[in-house]
């Protein structure tokens, strides 16, 4: 039986890359890891993702797959046996996809604006970021009441899509100039954070929040410097 | 074959390309449904309760449970009614390509069109034609021309459904607001695909007539 060749092109602070690492590690899939320098992208990256020249890219048996949610959907299809990420039930699947999409559409979008915007726009980005986390807190209470994850007892597609934001909380707060509400206001969210952080597969590849915060501040300084 | 599955309701808005995608998927699969047109200026209680997070159309309500976001809805429809007119490819890698290009369309092309409209045609995006060329390339790679004009060959597939509304929206924007799309010489297969969409019996019902879209676009321009 020929062995699968699995390679991930990534950049260590990327939330999107982390989604892929989480998916692979939860499923126990071994892979080669290649750290990319975004200011000096490898020929391999440029060829694997000519449209965006961005990480993450998963190269499976020589074929590249791009865009993190597309990648984790692919991973779940190809390695279904171990730790299924998408529920079998079509409605539950749709709910998981919705919250993964919410992570991009609302949470990442607000976080991105926190990093790039100024003045009123920056303030609004902070409000939007907190709103998005509040929605996630509510959703956790509705979708899986009493359970730690969107997936109930184990992480599912939505958990994997959203979990990488956790190590970025410190960084976002620094560039946003605010402190996030605590567990009294968002009990479900913080229970989820604790549950995610105690999963071995997650601990394996999560970068240190301090390092991420340093990186976030560097990005922010660049924006401020250019203003 | 008409699938009479109880309680399928679509909260729609006829000019919305996202709404059109879902309508098209339902029609391709012959799923009987109730189509409840929404007033987006005065959102109904049903809409606000069905999509409290985004408060947008389309929403599909199946057996009382709401599903939002057009791509997610079409995935759902394909999974619940797999027998007729299957949309997503069987092969995992091909499925990934359909999802990638759907995402590309939304990030790049849909976004360009949005900005064009919101700027009253002032924002001319050079990237738009480049992005259409990339889509043309995808079609050359993924669609077997011998089988048919679609990404799915002779029949419409997931990606075709996602792109179909452009078959009416792009001509409307071209004729009313002077949008310069990619020419037939630049994107011959895309042109053929959109032509085939407008001829497709399900699309003829799911997609509004270009004249109606033109009127809608014109009216919004006047109001600004």
């Amino acid at each position: 039986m020929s062995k699968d060749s699995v390679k991930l092109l990534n950049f260590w602070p990327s939330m999107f890359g982390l989604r892929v690492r989480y998916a692979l590690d939860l499923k126990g899939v071994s892979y080669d890891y290649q750290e990319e320098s975004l200011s000096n992208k490898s020929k391999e990256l440029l060829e694997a993702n000519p449209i965006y020249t961005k990480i993450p890219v998963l190269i499976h048996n020589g074929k590249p797959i791009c865009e993190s949610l597309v990648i984790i959907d692919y991973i779940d299809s190809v390695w279904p046996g171990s730790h299924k990420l998408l529920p079998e039930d079509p409605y539950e699947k749709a709910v998981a996809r919705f919250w993964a999409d919410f992570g991009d559409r609302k949470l990442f979008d607000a976080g991105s604006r926190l990093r790039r915007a100024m003045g009123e726009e920056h303030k609004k980005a902070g409000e939007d970021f907190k709103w998005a986390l509040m929605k996630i807190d509510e959703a956790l209470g509705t979708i899986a009441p009493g359970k730690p994850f969107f997936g109930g007892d184990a992480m599912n597609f939505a958990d994997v899509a959203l979990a990488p934001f956790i190590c970025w909380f410190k960084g976002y707060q620094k560039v946003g100039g605010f402190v996030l509400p605590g567990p009294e206001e968002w009990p479900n969210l913080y229970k989820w954070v604790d549950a995610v952080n105690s999963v071995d597969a997650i601990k394996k590849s999560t970068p240190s929040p301090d390092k991420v915060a340093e990186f976030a501040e560097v990005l922010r300084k660049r924006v401020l410097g250019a203003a | 074959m008409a699938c009479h599955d109880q309680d399928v309701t679509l909260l729609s808005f006829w000019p919305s390309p996202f709404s059109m995608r879902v309508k098209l998927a339902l029609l391709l699969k012959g799923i009987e449904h109730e189509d409840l047109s929404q007033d987006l200026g005065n959102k109904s209680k049903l809409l606000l309760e069905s999509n409290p997070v985004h408060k947008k159309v389309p929403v599909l309500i199946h057996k009382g449970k709401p599903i939002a976001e057009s791509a997610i809805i079409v995935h759902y429809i394909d999974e619940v009614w797999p027998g007729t007119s299957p949309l997503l490819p069987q092969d995992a890698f091909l499925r990934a390509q359909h999802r990638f290009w759907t995402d590309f369309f939304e990030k790049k092309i849909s976004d360009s069109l949005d900005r064009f409209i919101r700027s009253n045609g002032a924002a001319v995006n050079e990237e738009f034609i480049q992005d259409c060329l990339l889509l043309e390339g995808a079609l050359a790679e993924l669609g077997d021309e011998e089988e048919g004009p679609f990404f799915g060959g002779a029949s419409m597939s997931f990606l075709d459904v996602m792109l179909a509304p452009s078959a009416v929206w792009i001509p409307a924007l071209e004729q009313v607001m002077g949008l310069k799309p990619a020419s037939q010489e630049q994107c011959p297969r895309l042109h053929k695909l959109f032509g085939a969409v407008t001829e497709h019996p399900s699309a003829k019902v799911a997609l509004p007539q270009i004249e109606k879209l033109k009127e809608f676009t014109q009216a919004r321009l006047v109001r600004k």
Side-chain angles (χ1 to χ4, degrees):
Chain A
M1 190 171 84
S2 65
K3 190 174 176 290
D4 268 329
S5 116
V6 186
K7 187 173 190 178
L8 173 62
L9 309 182
N10 191 35
F11 177 52
W12 70 268
S14 164
M15 268 171 269
F16 304 110
L18 204 48
R19 286 171 167 172
V20 180
R21 300 197 76 172
Y22 287 169
L24 291 168
D25 289 337
L26 282 166
K27 287 175 177 282
V29 175
S30 5
Y31 59 99
D32 291 325
Y33 180 87
Q34 182 166 302
E35 184 71 26
E36 289 282 337
S37 157
L38 299 193
S39 54
N40 186 20
K41 293 173 182 177
S42 74
K43 185 163 169 280
E44 193 171 7
L45 173 56
L46 299 175
E47 285 175 359
N49 191 355
I51 309 284
Y52 299 116
T53 67
K54 282 184 172 179
I55 56 91
V57 182
L58 188 78
I59 307 176
H60 181 216
N61 294 333
K63 296 205 270 194
I65 303 105
C66 310
E67 291 305 304
S68 61
L69 293 184
V70 175
I71 298 173
I72 61 177
D73 217 321
Y74 175 84
I75 288 171
D76 202 42
S77 291
V78 173
W79 293 280
S82 157
H83 200 123
K84 197 85 185 67
L85 293 176
L86 278 165
E88 283 307 317
D89 175 71
Y91 179 72
E92 285 174 31
K93 208 182 282 194
V95 171
R97 286 205 167 107
F98 177 91
W99 288 101
D101 173 78
F102 182 88
D104 285 350
R105 213 173 276 278
K106 296 293 183 183
L107 193 57
F108 179 74
D109 177 76
S112 213
R113 284 182 282 126
L114 266 178
R115 189 172 38 87
R116 290 180 284 112
M118 302 291 185
E120 275 311 304
E121 250 201 77
H122 190 245
K123 193 161 171 264
K124 173 129 203 315
E127 298 307 310
D128 292 343
F129 188 79
K130 284 182 255 177
W131 175 87
L133 288 179
M134 177 187 75
K135 285 291 152 190
I136 291 170
D137 176 76
E138 281 174 16
L140 282 162
T142 316
I143 293 163
K147 296 282 184 175
F149 302 114
F150 276 97
D153 292 315
M155 289 180 72
N156 77 359
F157 190 85
D159 297 294
V160 170
L162 295 170
F165 288 94
I166 296 171
C167 67
W168 269 83
F169 281 170
K170 195 168 196 179
Y172 278 134
Q173 288 175 96
K174 282 231 159 121
V175 305
F178 56 75
V179 173
L180 288 174
E184 329 72 45
E185 251 189 86
W186 295 338
N188 303 313
L189 182 78
Y190 283 94
K191 278 200 197 107
W192 175 75
V193 167
D194 287 340
V196 169
N197 284 338
S198 57
V199 175
D200 286 333
I202 301 303
K203 288 190 231 179
K204 205 170 164 207
S205 54
T206 305
S208 118
D210 287 328
K211 275 191 80 184
V212 171
E214 254 177 59
F215 174 76
E217 285 190 293
V218 165
L219 290 182
R220 181 66 181 161
K221 281 202 180 88
R222 263 191 227 151
V223 170
L224 294 173
Chain B
M1 185 183 84
C3 306
H4 187 72
D5 214 296
Q6 66 278 43
D7 303 327
V8 182
T9 304
L10 171 64
L11 305 185
S12 67
F13 180 57
W14 69 267
S16 157
F18 306 106
S19 189
M20 287 177 213
R21 287 167 165 181
V22 177
K23 186 83 183 174
L24 181 54
L26 289 168
L27 290 171
L28 281 168
K29 289 180 178 274
I31 299 162
E32 286 189 28
H33 59 279
E34 190 184 11
D35 188 325
L36 292 179
S37 186
Q38 299 298 299
D39 177 357
L40 299 188
N42 183 19
K43 292 178 181 177
S44 70
K45 187 162 167 279
L46 181 59
L47 175 57
L48 296 175
E49 285 175 357
S50 307
N51 191 359
V53 175
H54 299 305
K55 305 180 170 62
K56 284 179 171 179
V57 293
V59 181
L60 189 79
I61 307 173
H62 182 215
K63 296 183 182 172
K65 296 197 214 169
I67 303 109
E69 293 303 311
S70 62
I72 295 174
I73 300 172
V74 175
H75 268 95
Y76 176 84
I77 290 170
D78 202 39
E79 281 149 18
V80 174
W81 293 277
T84 313
S85 193
L87 297 175
L88 277 156
Q90 293 291 341
D91 177 71
F93 183 74
L94 213 44
R95 273 203 303 278
Q97 300 315 299
H98 278 240
R99 289 174 178 140
F100 174 86
W101 287 104
T102 297
D103 177 76
F104 172 86
F105 175 81
E106 278 177 18
K107 275 196 180 87
K108 303 290 219 137
I109 295 177
S110 193
D111 187 63
S112 285
L113 293 176
D114 238 1
R115 275 183 281 129
F116 179 82
I117 294 169
R118 276 187 273 119
S119 71
N120 268 17
V124 173
N125 195 346
E126 275 89 54
E127 273 186 33
F128 175 64
I129 297 204
Q130 292 310 312
D131 292 336
C132 290
L133 285 166
L134 287 171
L135 207 53
E136 174 79 12
L139 184 48
E141 203 186 303
L142 302 172
D144 190 333
E145 198 163 20
E146 277 180 24
E147 284 191 17
F150 301 117
F151 277 93
S155 44
M156 293 186 78
S157 67
F158 182 81
L159 188 49
D160 299 296
V161 171
M162 294 291 114
L163 298 175
S166 294
V168 292
W169 258 111
I170 290 179
L173 291 175
E174 196 183 355
Q175 291 167 42
V176 174
M177 291 176 69
L179 174 75
K180 304 263 185 301
S183 68
Q184 193 154 3
E185 288 70 43
Q186 289 173 302
C187 295
R189 287 193 60 179
L190 262 185
H191 270 257
K192 254 202 203 122
L193 188 154
F194 287 140
V197 164
T198 52
E199 289 304 302
H200 193 290
S202 300
K204 279 185 178 172
V205 181
L207 307 181
Q209 288 175 358
I210 296 175
E211 286 310 308
K212 265 196 90 182
L213 265 184
K214 281 166 66 177
E215 277 168 34
F216 175 80
T217 307
Q218 191 66 59
R220 282 211 310 199
L221 275 179
V222 168
R223 247 183 273 143
K224 277 196 184 137

